[in-house]
Amino acid sequence: MRQYLLEVGAFAEREKDLADVVLQVIVNSYMEKVQKWKGSERIMCEALRVLMADELNEERMEGQREGRIEGQREGRIEGQREGRIEGQREGQIRAYASLVQDGIITVETGAEKTGMSVGDFTKEMKQAGYVIPAV
């Protein structure tokens, strides 16, 4: 089998395709024997790893590429979601800060409505450029 696989490496592309079909037929016909050999899994697994090293490496690399693409996609979606939440929160704070600056509500009310302490709310107002009216 090893010799067969080594010789296949020198085949042209069309011949490799045919050799793959032959190999599949051989593997299928010996499946019962392979099941019996499973007791010596370590030897079989190591032999298969050696024989299939290039293919396994390609599959691993493809899996990593797919994982990166999926991770980036999920990261973008999560980032957009977090950005929307942060933007809504900032919009809420600015809306109440504007009402405070215009004297429509008190700093205490603005802080309460945004779920912040008075100190944090006034700090946010100042950082955003709002003026806190004198009482």
Side-chain angles (χ1 to χ4, degrees):
M1 181 71 84
R2 177 182 274 256
Q3 185 60 36
Y4 174 78
L5 290 172
L6 292 173
E7 289 175 13
V8 167
F11 287 179
E13 201 58 41
R14 177 164 163 40
E15 292 170 323
K16 283 182 182 179
D17 291 341
L18 293 173
D20 283 345
V21 171
V22 170
L23 184 59
Q24 187 62 46
V25 169
I26 291 168
V27 168
N28 287 342
S29 68
Y30 285 101
M31 194 51 82
E32 264 185 48
K33 289 181 182 178
V34 169
Q35 293 299 326
K36 288 178 186 176
W37 292 342
K38 273 200 155 180
S40 56
E41 276 181 38
R42 289 172 94 46
I43 295 167
M44 289 295 290
C45 288
E46 186 58 33
L48 287 173
R49 262 191 232 106
V50 169
L51 291 172
M52 304 300 291
D54 291 340
E55 290 80 1
L56 290 171
N57 191 42
E58 284 177 26
E59 292 292 325
R60 183 179 57 79
M61 297 291 278
E62 179 62 23
Q64 287 176 341
R65 271 191 299 277
E66 289 175 6
R68 274 193 293 278
I69 290 168
E70 181 67 17
Q72 289 170 346
R73 186 184 71 76
E74 289 176 5
R76 275 193 302 275
I77 291 169
E78 181 65 19
Q80 290 170 347
R81 186 184 70 75
E82 289 176 7
R84 277 193 297 275
I85 291 169
E86 188 175 318
Q88 290 170 349
R89 177 73 176 144
E90 188 174 317
Q92 177 191 36
I93 292 169
R94 287 177 181 251
Y96 284 112
S98 179
L99 293 173
V100 169
Q101 179 176 281
D102 293 344
I104 298 171
I105 62 172
T106 65
V107 172
E108 292 77 18
T109 302
E112 180 185 328
K113 294 292 185 181
T114 58
M116 301 172 77
S117 69
V118 172
D120 287 344
F121 183 69
T122 55
K123 179 181 169 186
E124 288 288 330
M125 280 186 67
K126 289 175 185 175
Q127 286 177 344
Y130 290 95
V131 177
I132 300 169
V135 180

